[in-house]
Amino acid sequence: MNKDLITMDDLTNEEILSLLDDADRLLPVAHGEEYLPLLQGKLLANMFFEPSTRTRMSFETAMKRLGGDVVNLGDVKASSAVKGETLYDTMRMVDGYCDIAALRHPRQGAAQYAGDACSISIMNGGDGAGHHPTQTLLDLFTIRQAFGRLDGLKVAMVGDLRYGRTVHSLSHALARFGCELTFISPSQLSMPEEIFENLTCDGEEIEITVTEDLLGAIPEADVIYMTRIQKERFPDEDEYTKVAGIYKLSADDLVGAKGEMIILHPLPRVDEIHPDVDATRHARYFEQAFNGVVARMALMCRLLGVAIPRGD
Ligand code: CP
């Protein structure tokens, strides 16, 4: 496996499936039912230059459940970044302090930059409107948990496909497993061309539908992946206002859905999924967030060269 996880290009399909198998084995550890100190003595640097709840906390939970420890950058405003320290200098220092690092940064490409600067493994926890591959691992884990497979599913991605880094990474991975993708967004938030161009399976084009119609896509979908409109990435607040609240999924909208259809969301949500969806059989976003712990446990073990014992 590559030293770093910057985009899903860093993983082969076989490596993805093997990581998901490892994650599955780690479920009792993530639930606190089993103690397995595989990463005892290892130190994770949580370098979050942008807000995060799930990614930061699930990395920390994963490391601690496996017996390791964590140092956090903490509030960026209380770090030497405000004195003008460069990302390069900060990461070179972390390279000496810790064994592995998770990085979230507002600048697209920052994770690759940090990976090139460091000898330790860098895990991209989101770089601007670029990629979020560790989120994709937990998304894939959740989808496989529900369907027992990844290939051939019909997945609809909804909302901010332009700035939403989760869908950039996820669409790439799902294409490689031969999924059929539907992109649902207003035209100004459509999937970037450079992501679109990469959506192939074994070099062959996959089936992709582009539409603005969420309700029309519900009956066919196996997975509906909702996303938040990324207010913080809009250069102009008026442009955000034009699309804010454009998609709002409620329980009534799901009447024609397949029984086994699941709704995912990387979270946080704003208003794109009504709370009345939470009680439906389709809602899986909180389980999805939990799965971030096992997915990141499996990833850190792999990058640190620690094998996960197989059951009897
Ligand atoms: N899904 C996700 O990246 O959530 P956070 O921004 O809370 O980390």
Side-chain angles (χ1 to χ4, degrees), residues 91-148:
M91 294 309 295
R92 281 299 301 270
M93 190 202 56
V94 165
D95 199 31
Y97 288 170
C98 296
D99 302 297
I100 191 166
L103 174 70
R104 172 168 292 187
H105 199 278
R107 199 169 70 233
Q108 195 167 337
Q112 183 65 63
Y113 182 73
D116 293 343
C118 292
S119 59
I120 61 170
S121 290
I122 301 297
M123 299 171 289
N124 183 5
D127 60 329
H131 296 269
H132 198 347
T134 69
Q135 175 73 42
T136 294
L137 287 177
L138 71 98
D139 295 340
L140 296 176
F141 183 83
T142 310
I143 293 170
R144 199 177 71 158
Q145 225 175 18
F147 295 96

Side-chain angles (χ1 to χ4, degrees), residues 48 51-56 104 125 132 135 165-166 266-268:
F48 282 73
S52 168
T53 297
R54 274 147 294 276
T55 310
R56 184 177 54 79
R104 172 168 292 187
H132 198 347
Q135 175 73 42
R165 54 198 174 197
T166 61
L267 303 177

Side-chain angles (χ1 to χ4, degrees), residues 33 54 186 200 206 213 234 238 272:
E33 296 159 3
R54 274 147 294 276
T200 55
I206 59 154
D213 179 15
F234 280 71
D238 288 345
E272 56 278 355

Side-chain angles (χ1 to χ4, degrees), residues 122 182 220 278 308:
I122 301 297
T182 302
E220 284 297 310
D278 298 2
I308 293 161

